[in-house]
Amino acid sequence: LELVQQNNIVKVSSLSQLFQTTETTIRRDLDELQKAKKIRRVHGGAVPVKNPNKDLTDDELSIICPDEKEKIALAAISYIDDHDTLFLDSSSTVLQLARLLLISDKKELLIVTNSFHIVSLLHKRKDYHLIHTGGEVKRAMISSYGPVALKMLQNIKVDKSFLGTSGIDSSFGYSDPNLNDSALKEAALKASRLHFILVDHTKFNESYIGKFADFKDTVDYLITDSIPKSIDLSVYEEAVNLVIADRIIS
C-alpha cells in the first residue's frame, strides 16, 4: 500500500520481483486491497484511490501508464491531416500526441494550446503555427486557464480538439477535479468542429466535481488503450465512436 501511494502506480511484475513471490500471489493481494478500497486495480498493477477534490501534478501524471498513453497517441495522430487547425490541451496523454507530431510528417498545422510544454516542444517545427491561449498560470501542470484563456477560446473555431479527462462515467459524463480545467475543456469543445477525448483505461467509472461534457452527443471520438472488463462496451459504442488502441496497434 505504501509503495502505491509513493509511486502513484505499481506493476504486478515489479512487486513479484521485489517480494520474491509469484505474480498470482501479488494479484490476489492487490485484489484484497481493492476490496478494502485502499487501492484501485488497473491493467497489470494498481494505482491509489483518488481524492475526488485533488488533481494530480504534471510530474505525477507523467509516470502513470506511459506505454498506454503512447498507444493512444499513436491511434489519435491518424485522425490529424495536413493543414488542420487543432486545439491541444495540457493533459499528459495529449502531450504524448504532441511528441509524436514533432517527429511526424504532418505538415502546416495551426495549433492552439494552453500547455507551455506543447509550445516549448512544437516551436521546433517551423511549419507549425502555434498560438497559446494565455491566462492564469497553473504551475502544477505547466499550463494556463481562467477568464483570459476562456475569452480567447470563445473567439476561435478549430477543426479538431484533443482533450484528456480525469474521469468518464456513463451516468454523468466527462469530468475533472478542477473547475477551471473543466471550464476550459468545455470551451475548447465549443470552439472545435470535431471532438476527441484521449484517455487511458484507469479513468473509466470515475467522476469528479467539474463536468465538462455529457456522456452522449458531445464527444465524437473516444480513444483509449483498452476497456476494463467491468465496462459494458455496448453502452460506449452507442454513445461515441470508440477507438481501442490495443485492437489496432500491434
Side-chain angles (χ1 to χ4, degrees), residues 122-134:
L122 292 183
H123 85 279
K124 302 168 189 174
R125 286 290 301 258
K126 302 304 182 184
D127 59 330
Y128 289 1
H129 183 56
L130 301 177
I131 301 173
H132 195 276
T133 59

Side-chain angles (χ1 to χ4, degrees), residues 62-205:
S62 67
I63 64 173
I64 297 176
C65 301
D67 295 339
E68 290 84 347
K69 290 173 182 176
E70 184 175 3
K71 289 180 181 180
I72 294 165
L74 282 167
I77 199 170
S78 66
Y79 292 91
I80 296 176
D81 301 309
D82 292 348
H83 308 287
D84 268 348
T85 57
L86 310 172
F87 177 82
L88 306 181
D89 80 354
S90 60
S91 65
S92 56
T93 309
V94 174
L95 177 59
Q96 183 60 42
L97 173 61
R99 292 191 178 106
L100 294 182
L101 285 173
L102 176 65
I103 58 175
S104 77
D105 59 358
K106 308 294 182 181
K107 299 180 179 64
E108 302 294 336
L109 301 179
L110 188 154
I111 298 171
V112 182
T113 183
N114 67 317
S115 166
F116 294 108
H117 266 320
I118 290 177
V119 170
S120 177
L121 183 70
L122 292 183
H123 85 279
K124 302 168 189 174
R125 286 290 301 258
K126 302 304 182 184
D127 59 330
Y128 289 1
H129 183 56
L130 301 177
I131 301 173
H132 195 276
T133 59
E136 180 182 349
V137 174
K138 182 182 181 183
R139 290 177 175 83
M141 285 297 293
I142 316 179
S143 63
S144 63
Y145 54 26
V148 173
L150 293 178
K151 181 68 173 177
M152 192 272 185
L153 289 173
Q154 288 165 2
N155 288 284
I156 65 168
K157 182 67 77 173
V158 298
D159 297 320
K160 301 161 186 173
S161 59
F162 292 84
L163 312 176
T165 184
S166 295
I168 311 172
D169 188 308
S170 59
S171 65
F172 183 59
Y174 300 81
S175 60
D176 271 316
N178 187 296
L179 291 174
N180 285 309
D181 285 338
S182 59
L184 186 135
K185 292 175 190 289
E186 183 177 5
L189 291 172
K190 292 178 180 178
S192 53
R193 297 180 178 88
L194 275 177
H195 317 113
F196 295 78
I197 299 291
L198 312 187
V199 58
D200 68 71
H201 63 275
T202 68
K203 310 297 176 57
F204 287 87
N205 280 346

Side-chain angles (χ1 to χ4, degrees), residues 43-59:
H43 181 69
V47 296
V49 174
K50 297 177 182 178
N51 180 344
N53 298 313
K54 179 182 181 296
D55 49 347
L56 299 177
T57 67
D58 180 70
D59 289 339

Side-chain angles (χ1 to χ4, degrees), residues 4-17:
V4 177
Q5 293 171 339
Q6 287 178 349
N7 299 308
N8 281 307
I9 186 169
V10 293
K11 296 291 186 180
V12 169
S13 57
S14 299
L15 292 175
S16 176
Q17 293 175 7

